[in-house]
Amino acid sequence: MYTEISRRQFLAVGGKVALGAGLAGPLLAGCGGGGGGSGQVTYWSNLEGAGPQDYFKKNIEKPFEKANQGTDLKVTFQPPAEMDRLVRTALQGGEGPDIIMTPGPAYAQEYIDANLFAELDEYSDQYKWDDKLLGWAIDLGRYEDKLYAIPYQLQTMLLYYNKTLLEDKGMQPPRSRDELESMAEELQGQGITPFAAGIGDDPAAIEWFPTVFWNHYSGPDALYQALTGEIPFSDPVFVEAIALFDTYVQKGWFGGSRERFFSNGFDALHADLGDGKAAMNIEGSWFLADIGDFFKDSGDAWDWAPLPPLRSGIPAELYELGLGSTLSVNARAQDAEGAAAFIDYLVADKKRAAEWMAAVPAAFNAPLPFTESDFPASMDNRVARQLASLSQATDKGNFGYTAWTFWPSKSDVYIQEEMQKVLTGDITPAEFCSGLDETFTKDRKEGAVPKIIKPGSS
């Protein structure tokens, strides 16, 4: 499951529907105590597939209604690629769900600027979200010291590897750039693709790689400075990261060749990893839900590791923050208390969240302070280890930034489209970064950059 594919597909087919200044102001009249926690609460979900949807209806919707007598939770499953457009269109017509899901902080900020979200501070106090949720999650949902959004469906980028293959070669997952490069050269010399990779099914997925190289080469401190306008994206530290990725692609380390990087589909590259034709794969944590399927035929074992630092001074364990969604209460909600109660039920109870995260991997990832022991025995221990590691590292401020969560939409589309031109030699890494800086500067002037939370190292 790759939730962010919905955001990228949506951006690719025409961008966002303007909210319009005319919606600001009057909507606040519908905010407040709501219906006292009784009445109908509407929620549009981005869950896809009969399995996750049926699980939600049986194990979330009905139990919530039983625990909150008098509240009728009406859930509608919307196509992820259409969610934002449908919500915006509905709000412009004075309608829309009571609980609003957005594809990320940049989108949430637009709603907040248009006064479309209710303030959540009273509910945060009521449900003690400051005590329950990871601190960065609350910080990310605050705008001008008021809480409007709760981050949800937490994601990151990981290094997956064919454990059987590496052990047979006497190798371990790389812990530095030197180890990565020496491994890649040795594997390639033996006819094994170092990294299964390809964007044939989704060219916009190329944004994963600038995300990874900027975080693990340039570093979270430099990214924080760039995203807050302190330094330009044309700075050499960003250019060098893009040049390094380009070099690896040209060597054939990603996908086997530059041509195959552009043509490989997801099933093909995942099969190469499972069959031992490729040794490693850089992909998001959503792949944990499906990776086992690609190892069944070979019988090989798989595992994951943090992505290695590619330059001195970068933390050894660093996780990019990615969000599949944020949750907020519609300022017009007639039962704001009921809506807030459902957000608490869905996000903030560790035991329930752990059970859901085990039952439907990658769909219910909540920003909670997990340890491995919090998860049921039914969860794959590798998945439990990843979720606990992500929680603990980011709680310490050891996090970076994913393009689809922290870059505004125009800048993100620029990355998706122009990065491909770097690999084909049509533009240089320096030209790419200069163009990004121009686009990002415009985004900043338009107020489109979401709130950027500071990493612990800054």
Side-chain angles (χ1 to χ4, degrees):
M1 174 184 175
Y2 176 39
T3 305
E4 291 318 310
I5 201 171
S6 65
R7 179 182 185 225
R8 294 184 290 100
Q9 286 174 335
F10 176 69
L11 291 173
V13 296
K16 296 180 272 187
V17 179
L19 289 171
L23 291 180
L27 295 185
L28 292 178
C31 186
S38 63
Q40 186 180 86
V41 174
T42 54
Y43 172 55
W44 292 359
S45 169
N46 65 357
L47 285 179
E48 292 184 284
Q53 292 178 2
D54 289 345
Y55 183 90
F56 188 96
K57 300 289 284 188
K58 179 181 179 181
N59 296 282
I60 297 177
E61 180 180 354
K62 298 306 179 185
F64 169 76
E65 290 177 332
K66 185 176 180 180
N68 293 268
Q69 294 293 327
T71 299
D72 174 22
L73 180 64
K74 184 177 180 181
V75 179
T76 303
F77 297 105
Q78 302 287 7
E82 298 293 318
M83 174 75 87
D84 191 70
R85 181 185 62 80
L86 293 171
V87 170
R88 291 166 186 268
T89 302
L91 290 175
Q92 287 177 323
E95 300 178 356
D98 298 316
I99 300 169
I100 298 176
M101 174 178 280
T102 82
Y107 288 73
Q109 181 168 312
E110 291 188 57
Y111 290 94
I112 295 165
D113 290 341
N115 293 328
L116 295 172
F117 285 173
E119 295 176 20
L120 300 178
D121 293 280
E122 64 178 293
Y123 306 115
S124 180
D125 293 340
Q126 178 181 347
Y127 294 110
K128 302 186 185 304
W129 287 341
D130 281 330
D131 297 329
K132 293 179 180 178
L133 301 178
L134 295 172
W136 65 258
I138 292 292
D139 291 343
L140 191 57
R142 290 192 184 281
Y143 294 81
E144 297 182 356
D145 296 325
K146 296 178 181 178
L147 183 65
Y148 291 96
I150 300 297
Y152 193 49
Q153 295 176 316
L154 178 59
Q155 306 164 339
T156 194
M157 298 296 293
L158 298 172
L159 177 68
Y160 299 93
Y161 61 97
N162 187 312
K163 184 177 181 181
T164 301
L165 172 65
L166 291 193
E167 287 181 346
D168 288 347
K169 301 294 182 183
M171 298 178 176
Q172 295 289 331
R175 293 167 295 181
S176 67
R177 176 180 169 181
D178 287 344
E179 288 186 9
L180 183 154
E181 292 180 349
S182 62
M183 280 181 64
E185 289 176 355
E186 184 174 347
L187 289 164
Q188 189 177 51
Q190 298 181 30
I192 299 168
T193 302
F195 294 92
I199 59 171
D201 288 340
D202 183 12
I206 198 170
E207 69 179 340
W208 301 349
F209 300 98
T211 285
V212 164
F213 279 75
W214 279 331
N215 279 280
H216 296 274
Y217 180 91
S218 310
D221 292 344
L223 281 174
Y224 176 79
Q225 293 177 64
L227 290 167
T228 55
E230 296 177 26
I231 62 174
F233 275 105
S234 56
D235 189 280
V237 75
F238 302 115
V239 177
E240 291 165 5
I242 297 301
L244 184 63
F245 172 57
D246 181 42
T247 297
Y248 290 175
V249 172
Q250 306 306 328
K251 287 177 177 285
W253 290 357
F254 282 81
S257 69
R258 184 184 71 179
E259 291 72 24
R260 288 189 62 192
F261 178 82
F262 279 99
S263 64
N264 285 342
F266 290 132
D267 283 349
L269 70 91
H270 293 154
D272 283 349
L273 180 68
D275 294 341
K277 296 176 183 177
M280 297 171 283
N281 173 37
I282 293 175
E283 194 165 337
S285 51
W286 53 84
F287 185 43
L288 288 166
D290 303 314
I291 187 172
D293 295 340
F294 297 94
F295 282 78
K296 290 179 180 177
D297 291 341
S298 69
D300 286 358
W302 65 270
D303 210 331
W304 69 272
L307 287 156
L310 299 174
R311 191 168 61 93
S312 62
I314 306 300
E317 187 178 27
L318 172 70
Y319 297 103
E320 300 89 344
L321 282 179
L323 298 175
S325 61
T326 67
L327 299 172
S328 298
V329 175
N330 190 336
R332 286 193 176 208
Q334 292 303 305
D335 185 3
E337 291 186 10
F342 179 68
I343 291 176
D344 179 72
Y345 189 87
L346 184 64
V347 178
D349 185 278
K350 187 185 292 187
K351 185 175 186 298
R352 278 198 299 263
E355 291 173 351
W356 298 341
M357 290 161 75
V360 188
F364 300 111
N365 292 354
L368 296 166
F370 288 113
T371 64
E372 288 186 57
S373 62
D374 290 321
F375 296 103
S378 60
M379 177 176 275
D380 187 303
N381 66 330
R382 293 163 292 191
V383 178
R385 174 165 49 87
Q386 188 276 319
L387 293 168
S389 297
L390 176 62
S391 172
Q392 293 164 19
T394 60
D395 192 33
K396 297 175 183 176
N398 213 15
F399 57 76
Y401 310 88
T402 53
W404 54 91
T405 297
F406 291 97
W407 273 252
S409 59
K410 291 178 183 178
S411 295
D412 193 23
V413 169
Y414 175 92
I415 293 170
Q416 296 164 7
E417 295 177 348
E418 299 301 311
M419 185 64 226
Q420 298 179 54
K421 297 178 183 178
V422 175
L423 300 185
T424 58
D426 293 316
I427 61 175
T428 67
E431 290 169 338
F432 167 78
C433 290
S434 291
L436 173 60
D437 190 62
E438 291 177 9
T439 303
F440 185 81
T441 298
K442 293 177 182 177
D443 276 333
R444 278 189 57 80
K445 289 180 179 178
E446 294 171 1
V449 180
K451 181 176 180 179
I452 308 299
I453 51 176
K454 183 178 292 189
S457 53
S458 289

